[in-house]
Amino acid sequence: MINIIFEPNILLAFLITVLMVLLYFLRIIKPQIARDQDIFFATIGLLYSSILVIHGWRLDPILLFSQVLINSILVPTCWENIRLRAIAYAFQKFKEEKNN
């Protein structure tokens, strides 16, 4: 049975979907900091968000809160990882220019 109701699970799924699409487009926007495993993680994130949309109506409030907490830890960690990739790339480029 598929029962899609507009509840907080839809907002959480929409947020994760937007972030995973941005992770897909990272390869187009900044290919030097994109990694091959980003496609795998973005696909898993899109699958997770679709499960939240389809079966999120069955979540108890405490289970939904746990999903919110997990995502509030995961999203900043991913952001920091991508930012550190950009810093490492800039440092490597600076080091190569300095050596030449």
Side-chain angles (χ1 to χ4, degrees):
M1 176 175 151
I2 297 178
N3 188 9
I4 299 175
I5 301 172
F6 187 76
E7 290 181 349
N9 63 320
I10 299 291
L11 296 174
L12 185 61
F14 179 72
L15 174 72
I16 297 300
T17 301
V18 167
L19 293 172
M20 292 303 117
V21 168
L22 288 175
L23 189 59
Y24 267 130
F25 286 129
L26 183 67
R27 186 168 297 279
I28 296 169
I29 297 168
K30 295 243 182 202
Q32 62 271 17
I33 63 172
R35 301 286 184 262
D36 290 337
Q37 63 262 25
D38 290 345
I39 293 175
F40 172 74
F41 290 121
T43 304
I44 295 296
L46 290 173
L47 180 65
Y48 167 74
S49 65
S50 66
I51 290 171
L52 270 179
V53 168
I54 294 172
H55 295 288
W57 62 274
R58 300 195 303 183
L59 286 177
D60 293 337
I62 193 70
L63 291 175
L64 182 63
F65 183 63
S66 70
Q67 294 300 311
V68 169
L69 288 179
I70 288 171
N71 286 310
S72 66
I73 292 169
L74 181 71
V75 169
T77 304
C78 293
W79 175 259
E80 183 179 4
N81 184 10
I82 292 171
R83 200 181 62 139
L84 288 173
R85 287 182 197 174
I87 291 171
Y89 175 75
F91 180 72
Q92 180 184 10
K93 192 174 179 183
F94 173 74
K95 198 173 178 182
E96 288 174 359
E97 289 176 1
K98 191 175 181 181
N99 287 339
N100 290 334

